[in-house]
């Protein structure tokens, strides 16, 4: 029998991160790009999307060359409903990170929301060579089909920690795809499961923000 995972107070963890990031800002800094991004990241991970965006944009204003690298800003733009802006950010990010399936998936989502799923499938970004399991299978799923290959890739992993990570990313991106394809029940179920991971890295926090986003934007009969 597995030992029960201890509960994690994500809210307290995020508030501490925000306080630390705010305390690191120096009003007399002429260029504080990294500190601004750190604060924006902390706010986004806490679900304070609208508060995060001005800090990303101020960082970009100070250092325009950083814009293509700020995939986090693209995620914030998606949550804010700025789908065209998010799509453009992920297109820019591909130029500096061409092998990232996650970037292709978020671009796919923004295009589906800005226009429709068929447009998203026609404009898929290539992302060759992403060796993380199950990223190649997720990329193959974006044009359509089912989750069979993704589930098989996760099942084939023997190491518990690697399986936990792969299970998380499968749930996150299958939930994202379901959202893009207009299947709210599947999107909420999968994203809720992704958000329940005990992991506390960046994308685990994004999954929790996404799960809350789907729940709050769902119609009463979809909750």
């Amino acid at each position: 029998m597995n030992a029960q995972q201890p509960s994690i107070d994500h809210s307290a963890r995020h508030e501490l991160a925000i306080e630390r990031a705010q305390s690191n800002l120096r009003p007399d800094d002429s260029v504080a790009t990294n500190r601004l991004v750190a604060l924006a990241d902390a706010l986004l991970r806490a679900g304070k999307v609208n508060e995060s965006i001005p800090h990303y944009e101020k960082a970009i204003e100070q250092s325009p060359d950083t814009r293509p690298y700020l995939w986090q800003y693209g995620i914030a733009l998606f949550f804010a409903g700025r789908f065209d802006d998010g799509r453009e950010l992920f297109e820019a990010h591909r130029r500096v990170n061409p092998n990232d399936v996650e970037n292709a998936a978020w671009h796919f989502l923004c295009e589906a929301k800005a226009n429709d799923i068929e447009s998203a499938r026609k404009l898929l970004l290539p992302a060759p060579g992403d060796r993380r399991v199950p990223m190649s299978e997720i990329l193959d799923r974006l044009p359509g089909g089912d989750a069979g290959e993704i589930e098989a890739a996760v099942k084939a992993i023997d190491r518990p920690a690697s399986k936990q990570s792969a299970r998380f990313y499968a749930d996150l991106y299958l939930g994202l795809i379901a959202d893009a394809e207009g299947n709210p029940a599947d999107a909420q179920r999968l994203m809720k499961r992704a958000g329940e991971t005990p992991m506390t890295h960046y994308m685990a926090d994004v999954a929790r923000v996404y799960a809350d986003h789907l729940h709050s934007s769902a119609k009463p009969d979809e909750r």
Side-chain angles (χ1 to χ4, degrees), residues 141 145-147 170-194 210-211 214 218 222-223:
R141 171 62 184 82
D146 60 41
D171 289 338
L172 170 61
Y173 287 105
L174 285 171
L176 179 153
I177 292 167
D179 186 22
E181 293 179 343
N183 297 318
D186 286 346
Q188 289 186 70
R189 174 179 59 82
L190 289 159
M191 201 61 68
K192 181 175 183 292
R193 192 164 71 182
Y210 202 157
L214 289 172
E222 294 174 346
R223 294 176 181 172

Side-chain angles (χ1 to χ4, degrees), residues 32-125:
T33 304
N34 291 340
R35 297 187 186 99
L36 287 165
V37 171
L39 177 55
D41 286 346
L43 289 165
L44 174 59
R45 294 175 71 170
K48 299 181 179 183
V49 175
N50 291 333
E51 293 179 44
S52 75
I53 288 175
H55 297 291
Y56 286 124
E57 293 178 343
K58 187 174 180 181
I60 292 168
E61 181 182 351
Q62 288 188 348
S63 302
D65 290 347
T66 64
R67 183 179 180 273
Y69 296 90
L70 293 180
W71 53 266
Q72 316 96 295
Y73 176 47
I75 292 175
L77 291 170
F78 161 74
F79 287 130
R82 292 170 56 182
F83 305 127
D84 288 323
D85 292 338
R87 180 192 60 215
E88 291 174 4
L89 192 287
F90 293 120
E91 289 168 356
H93 184 64
R94 182 182 174 271
R95 293 194 287 272
V96 298
N97 189 14
N99 309 113
D100 188 356
V101 169
E102 293 185 80
N103 186 68
W106 286 93
H107 175 271
F108 170 85
L109 176 64
C110 285
E111 176 61 24
K113 294 292 186 178
N115 293 297
D116 55 50
I117 191 64
E118 293 308 317
S119 177
R121 287 172 175 156
K122 290 177 182 176
L123 297 176
L124 281 176
L125 295 181

